[in-house]
Amino acid sequence: TAAVADELAALKKQRDALVPSIEPRAMERYLQIRQHRLPPLARLTGDQCSGCSMQLPAAAVRDVKSGEKWVECENCGRILSN
């Protein structure tokens, strides 16, 4: 419908405005992951990747929860967020 198309266009405009603020290497890696995994991001659920349900090592869980490091799932390669 027209309302959905308008909303999608507005979201794309917001996305395009944010892209310049993202570190180029991080954006490049995100796009690489996106070519192979959809969605390219997954949430940390307990100590598991919500993308593939693999249990993550304690160090990876700690890094995701701290938010200081970019952490990718060792199994599916998705970027993990808390």
Side-chain angles (χ1 to χ4, degrees):
T1 68
V4 173
D6 290 345
E7 184 177 355
L8 182 59
L11 290 171
K12 286 181 178 181
K13 189 174 181 180
Q14 287 178 346
R15 178 199 62 196
D16 293 344
L18 291 172
V19 167
S21 67
I22 299 171
E23 180 184 326
R25 286 177 34 179
M27 189 66 186
E28 182 180 334
R29 183 65 185 136
Y30 167 82
L31 292 172
Q32 288 173 345
I33 294 169
R34 188 172 169 211
Q35 289 178 355
H36 304 286
R37 297 279 184 243
L38 287 176
L41 305 173
R43 288 206 175 272
L44 180 67
T45 306
D47 62 351
Q48 294 182 337
C49 168
S50 66
C52 67
S53 300
M54 180 179 174
Q55 185 172 352
L56 301 167
V61 171
R62 187 174 47 250
D63 289 342
V64 172
K65 287 183 177 182
S66 76
E68 293 179 15
K69 291 184 179 180
W70 175 300
V71 181
E72 294 177 22
C73 176
E74 294 176 0
N75 186 54
C76 69
R78 289 180 173 93
I79 302 163
L80 297 168
S81 68
N82 195 6

